[in-house]
């Protein structure tokens, strides 16, 4: 009764003050569900809560984000988009073209993002000149991880060429160790494939094949050699690889069941979450060959009604690119900060190697977007390539047939 009288008497004032004190809200769709990933996203949840934000978590399990993207499409089609979504690469612009993304330029400009983000990263965050996504990190994809004890016990050094890798794998296999920990999911096959392709085709060949979709390169002898190497890789994997999650493959390297994994540096987040020490328990090196394949995680805000939600979006965007968040998040995630002004003093040797190689690659033109992680191509094209990679990996298809199928699939996806 009391509250009824109060609101009847001062109805307008009450509504106004309620709106002013409503906490910022965010429903956040992401696919960070492994140990290291969950620890990382918790950093954002905590910072958001510390500023009074109310976070509704929408995790969609599934490495690489395919399941998350399916869930997103269903939500948008039903007219009920989440507030903030882990989204990256050309998919950001594809959603923008559907007219469903919010403009976060006001935050970006107030926070001076243009001054602290490399132009190559900022480019991915822009839609027709406006800021439409906020970058979290730079993951490197072309990494090889190894169990230090297993390599030592078998007298093996980190391979620097694919021939050395093959020789090491054969030696390990003869000693009864699984050479390559792998999870048979299409995106994991694509991750290994693009690392092999970068090594064999070189940075220019990679660009021609997976950025320009150049037919001559897609059907070249070099591409045949890439599929030949993939056939070898298939032989280095254990029989139970089908459907295995990537973090379980990382665990096989951790516990010495397998020697190597080829995976982006979110794998390092798993090693770190398990208390493993780089250089002692596990080793990191770039996969054989030149170049650097980058994969920038970012969040886009979807058009939603309600001041509390829009405030939530602005707060999230500000926190994501904030200096402290970029440090703490990336220490957990295995990646390096997207901002150029975050000190790497507290980061490990793998992160330092990543930063050094990224700068060198940026200077010599070999810094390349990962096709397997949605940074290089639109969904239809990258999906067409991955279908062929997976079909080849899981059958006895010849390299010559795979190359032909690749060129046809790409042509049909345009
Ligand atoms: C994302 C990472 C994530 C990984 C495995 C990649 O595509 O960029 O943030 O950890 O998939 O889920």
């Amino acid at each position: 009764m009391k509250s009824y009288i109060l609101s009847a008497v001062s109805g307008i004032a009450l509504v106004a003050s309620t709106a002013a004190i409503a906490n910022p809200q965010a429903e956040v769709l992401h696919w960070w569900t492994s140990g290291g990933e969950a620890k990382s996203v918790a950093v954002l949840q905590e910072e958001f809560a510390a500023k009074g934000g109310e976070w509704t978590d929408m995790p969609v399990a599934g490495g690489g984000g395919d399941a998350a993207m399916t869930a997103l499409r269903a939500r948008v089609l039903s007219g009920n988009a989440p507030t903030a979504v882990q989204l990256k690469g050309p998919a950001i612009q594809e959603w923008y073209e559907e007219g469903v993304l919010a403009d976060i330029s006001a935050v970006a400009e107030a926070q001076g993002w243009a001054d602290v983000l490399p132009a190559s990263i900022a480019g991915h965050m822009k839609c027709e000149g406006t800021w439409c996504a906020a970058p979290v990190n730079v993951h490197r994809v072309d990494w090889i991880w190894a169990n230090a004890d297993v390599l030592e016990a078998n007298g093996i050094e980190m391979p620097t060429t694919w021939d050395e890798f093959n020789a090491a794998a054969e030696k390990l296999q003869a000693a009864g160790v699984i050479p390559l920990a792998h999870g048979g999911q299409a995106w994991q096959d694509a991750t290994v494939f693009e690392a092999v392709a970068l090594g064999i085709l070189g940075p220019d060949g990679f660009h021609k094949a997976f950025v320009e979709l150049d037919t001559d390169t897609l059907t070249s002898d070099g591409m045949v050699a890439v599929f030949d190497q993939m056939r070898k890789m298939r032989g280095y994997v254990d029989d139970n690889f089908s459907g295995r999650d990537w973090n379980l493959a990382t665990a096989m390297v951790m516990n010495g069941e397998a020697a190597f994994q080829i995976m982006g540096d979110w794998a390092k987040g798993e090693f770190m979450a398990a208390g493993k020490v780089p250089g002692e328990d596990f080793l990191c090196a770039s996969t054989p060959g030149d170049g650097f394949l980058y994969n920038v995680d970012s969040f886009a805000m979807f058009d939603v009604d309600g001041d509390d939600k829009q405030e939530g979006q602005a707060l999230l965007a500000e926190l994501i690119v904030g200096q402290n968040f970029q440090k703490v998040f990336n220490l957990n995630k295995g990646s390096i900060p997207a901002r150029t002004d975050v000190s790497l003093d507290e980061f490990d040797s793998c992160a330092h190697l990543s930063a050094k190689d990224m700068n060198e690659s940026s200077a010599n033109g070999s810094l390349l977007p990962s096709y397997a992680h949605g940074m290089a191509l639109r969904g239809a094209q990258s999906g067409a390539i991955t279908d062929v990679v997976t079909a080849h990996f899981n059958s006895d298809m010849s390299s010559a047939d795979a190359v032909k199928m690749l060129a046809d699939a790409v042509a049909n996806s345009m």
Side-chain angles (χ1 to χ4, degrees):
M1 176 59 85
K2 204 170 164 196
S3 63
Y4 169 75
I5 294 169
L6 240 183
S7 50
V9 173
S10 58
I12 294 173
L14 191 70
V15 169
S17 66
T18 308
I21 59 164
N23 291 336
Q25 304 282 328
E27 188 195 8
V28 185
L29 192 162
H30 62 89
W31 67 87
W32 288 331
T33 56
S34 76
E37 291 174 333
K39 246 181 118 176
S40 312
V41 74
V43 177
L44 188 57
Q45 292 182 12
E46 281 154 22
E47 285 202 5
F48 192 63
K51 296 270 182 191
E54 287 174 15
W55 175 291
T56 306
D57 206 28
M58 193 187 167
V60 182
D66 294 340
M69 291 302 100
T70 306
L72 172 62
R73 184 147 292 279
R75 286 286 301 267
V76 177
L77 284 178
S78 67
N80 179 27
T83 326
V85 177
Q86 184 187 352
L87 204 64
K88 55 188 176 163
I92 300 170
Q93 285 74 30
E94 287 183 272
W95 280 109
Y96 172 83
E97 285 160 17
E98 299 208 18
V100 290
L101 291 195
D103 181 352
I104 54 171
S105 300
V107 179
E109 277 150 26
Q111 300 297 318
W113 290 1
D115 301 330
V116 294
L117 296 175
S120 52
I121 294 184
H124 285 289
M125 308 298 139
K126 297 269 188 82
C127 297
E128 290 183 345
T130 66
W131 291 87
C132 49
V136 177
N137 60 5
V138 181
H139 269 306
R140 181 180 200 174
V141 179
D142 51 316
W143 281 113
I144 182 162
W145 309 94
N147 180 302
D149 289 344
V150 170
L151 291 205
E152 201 187 329
N154 290 281
I156 289 169
E157 301 277 317
M158 248 345 208
T160 58
T161 64
W162 289 105
D163 284 346
E164 280 178 23
F165 179 85
N166 297 341
E170 274 146 38
K171 193 169 179 191
L172 288 158
Q173 215 154 29
V177 179
I178 299 167
L180 186 63
H182 183 63
Q185 297 172 340
W187 72 272
Q188 293 189 56
D189 300 340
T191 300
V192 174
F193 172 78
E194 73 172 352
V196 169
L198 176 64
I200 292 180
L201 301 175
D204 288 347
F206 184 96
H207 193 275
K208 283 211 178 80
F210 303 113
V211 178
E212 298 166 41
L213 298 176
D214 170 60
T215 311
D216 288 348
T217 311
L218 291 172
T219 55
S220 62
D221 291 348
M223 195 61 86
V224 172
V226 171
F227 281 103
D228 286 347
Q229 178 63 28
M230 286 304 284
R231 178 60 65 233
K232 290 204 162 93
M233 303 304 257
R234 174 67 184 81
Y236 302 147
V237 164
D238 67 308
D239 289 341
N240 299 322
F241 77 107
S242 186
R244 176 188 289 141
D245 286 327
W246 65 272
N247 51 321
L248 299 182
T250 309
M252 289 169 67
V253 177
M254 258 185 240
N255 65 28
E257 206 183 326
F260 297 116
Q261 183 183 19
I262 292 175
M263 186 47 67
D265 42 22
W266 45 94
K268 194 185 75 187
E270 293 307 294
F271 285 110
M272 303 302 260
K276 304 291 180 192
V277 180
E280 287 178 26
D281 302 315
F282 69 96
L283 308 175
C284 63
S286 57
T287 49
D290 296 332
F292 184 111
L293 297 180
Y294 70 86
N295 169 28
V296 175
D297 284 312
S298 48
F299 279 86
M301 309 300 159
F302 277 66
D303 265 333
V304 286
D305 291 329
D307 289 349
D308 51 353
K309 291 183 179 165
Q310 289 167 6
E311 276 174 34
Q313 293 180 321
L315 177 57
L316 265 184
E318 183 181 331
L319 292 174
I320 284 170
V321 188
Q323 239 177 342
N324 185 58
F325 171 75
Q326 293 248 329
K327 182 181 91 181
V328 183
F329 175 90
N330 286 301
L331 281 169
N332 287 305
K333 189 71 174 65
S335 33
I336 55 174
R339 284 179 79 114
T340 51
D341 62 348
V342 177
S343 160
L344 293 183
D345 286 355
E346 291 171 51
F347 284 74
D348 59 67
S349 53
C350 305
H352 282 270
L353 177 63
S354 184
K356 177 180 147 289
D357 286 356
M358 185 172 83
N359 288 338
E360 281 174 18
S361 289
S362 175
N364 70 21
S366 64
L367 181 63
L368 294 158
S370 156
Y371 116 75
H373 290 274
M375 296 302 299
L377 298 168
R378 294 198 161 226
Q381 275 109 43
S382 60
I385 296 172
T386 298
D387 285 349
V388 177
V389 169
T390 275
H392 169 268
F393 198 72
N394 290 292
S395 70
D396 58 3
M397 187 188 297
S398 72
S399 301
D401 285 349
V403 158
K404 199 172 163 299
M405 198 172 162
L406 182 66
D408 290 347
V410 167
N412 291 334
S413 72
M414 307 279 234

